[in-house]
Amino acid sequence: MQLIDGKKVAEEIRNELKLKVDETREKTGKIPGLVAIIVGEDPASKVYVGMKEKACREAGFNSRVHYLPQETKEEELLALVEEYNKDENFHGILVQLPLPKHIDESKIVYAISPAKDVDGFHPFSVGKMVIGQDTFFPCTPFGIVELLKRYNIETKGKHVVVVGRSNIVGKPVANMLLQKKNNANAVVTVCHSAAPDLKKFTLQADILIAAIGKANLITADMIKEGAVVIDVGVNRVEDANAKKGYKIVGDVDFAEVSRKASYITPVPGGVGPMTIAMLLSNTYSAFKKNENI
Ligand code: GUN
């Protein structure tokens, strides 16, 4: 079994980007910029946004974060997005989800200029992805495809079984991997919570992608010998021995499944760090395109 070290690959990608940013800054005096907007007090969202900001700064990007109060009105958020659509110093706009209930999330996502949609959540980006055109790909699925690529894991003709159908992971990763392209061209099955017999599907997977948000759902009896296992789950489970009283585990029973898998991503340190690396990659692409570099 080989461990897929997402932390290491993410670091490589961020270093590659830093070199490109340094070179471009010396030549043109310009650097990529990312603005993140967060509304409310969700602690997990604050941690994620803090990590994104740190990664941006380390790679030499311009980074700004707006922390808006929970009671921010939809119109105020729309006005801020509009301001950054016009601001030439910022090439990517990220509005951290979820938003408070009184704000219509899709209205905000629609308001982001597709040219700055580095999350790849705008329906324009989603549509282009589905029809196989180049666009911004959502960062977590993009990170999964990049990991498979960098570990030389063949996808052409392989049966990929995705467990989970979220707009952020399941649906986009299934779409990306079925395209008739390099590092894709797979036969893809998408399963979800309504599947009557999940095991029947997962046992057929050459590559299993678990993104359903249920701790240790995927057990060793559910996978084929030699399968590649990608675990996107981030689940808190109680742990009396941990300082905080909990630990983070994936959707896969790592201890048992890793005995049968040919490759597997750990949690933490697998897919997670790739999300931020690909966000920087998308922001750099937006910068290059916008500045004609
Ligand atoms: N919430 C959870 N994941 C993400 C993400 O990748 N982008 C944004 N904007 N919000 C999220």
Side-chain angles (χ1 to χ4, degrees), residues 48 52 94-98 119 121 139-140 168 275:
Y48 284 135
K52 288 168 188 175
L94 180 145
V95 179
Q96 186 67 24
L97 305 179
D119 255 331
F121 292 166
C139 303
T140 302
I168 292 184
T275 301

Side-chain angles (χ1 to χ4, degrees), residues 24-190:
T24 315
R25 189 188 57 236
E26 276 164 30
K27 270 197 214 145
T28 67
K30 291 176 174 170
I31 56 170
L34 175 71
V35 61
I37 304 169
I38 174 166
V39 186
E41 300 298 327
D42 180 44
S45 290
K46 281 190 171 172
V47 170
Y48 284 135
V49 168
M51 284 160 64
K52 288 168 188 175
E53 188 184 21
K54 182 165 172 276
C56 271
R57 292 198 188 280
E58 284 173 1
F61 287 44
N62 183 14
S63 170
R64 185 180 290 172
V65 183
H66 286 265
Y67 291 94
L68 303 182
Q70 173 77 19
E71 54 290 354
T72 302
K73 293 196 175 72
E74 189 176 277
E75 306 86 82
E76 290 171 314
L77 184 55
L78 283 169
L80 190 62
V81 167
E82 206 41 60
E83 192 183 314
Y84 281 103
N85 280 340
K86 294 189 207 116
D87 189 330
E88 289 176 359
N89 292 315
F90 291 91
H91 308 87
I93 303 173
L94 180 145
V95 179
Q96 186 67 24
L97 305 179
L99 288 167
K101 295 276 173 285
H102 65 277
I103 297 179
D104 181 347
E105 223 162 72
S106 67
K107 215 166 165 179
I108 305 300
V109 172
Y110 268 83
I112 296 170
S113 162
K116 299 191 177 190
D117 177 34
V118 289
D119 255 331
F121 292 166
H122 192 290
F124 184 77
S125 309
V126 177
K128 287 183 85 173
M129 175 191 67
V130 171
I131 59 174
Q133 293 183 356
D134 205 22
T135 184
F136 295 116
F137 299 115
C139 303
T140 302
F142 195 12
I144 294 169
V145 173
E146 190 66 23
L147 278 179
L148 295 172
K149 181 173 149 189
R150 291 197 182 218
Y151 275 83
N152 293 314
I153 294 169
E154 179 67 83
T155 50
K156 183 179 175 185
K158 300 294 178 192
H159 190 186
V160 173
V161 177
V162 180
V163 184
R165 58 174 152 186
S166 70
N167 291 335
I168 292 184
V169 185
K171 282 180 200 159
V173 82
N175 267 291
M176 288 168 74
L177 286 170
L178 67 79
Q179 301 297 334
K180 195 169 183 179
K181 286 184 179 176
N182 288 339
N183 307 116
N185 217 355
V187 176
V188 181
T189 299
V190 184

Side-chain angles (χ1 to χ4, degrees), residues 183-208:
N183 307 116
N185 217 355
V187 176
V188 181
T189 299
V190 184
C191 299
H192 43 75
S193 54
D197 182 5
L198 192 58
K199 186 173 164 179
K200 186 174 97 183
F201 298 102
T202 57
L203 270 174
Q204 296 176 41
D206 299 312
I207 301 174
L208 179 75

Side-chain angles (χ1 to χ4, degrees), residues 6-24:
K7 190 162 173 248
K8 185 174 126 243
V9 175
E11 214 170 286
E12 281 166 16
I13 293 170
R14 298 203 319 258
N15 288 337
E16 288 162 16
L17 286 167
K18 181 169 173 21
L19 290 176
K20 288 191 208 171
V21 171
D22 286 348
E23 194 183 295
T24 315

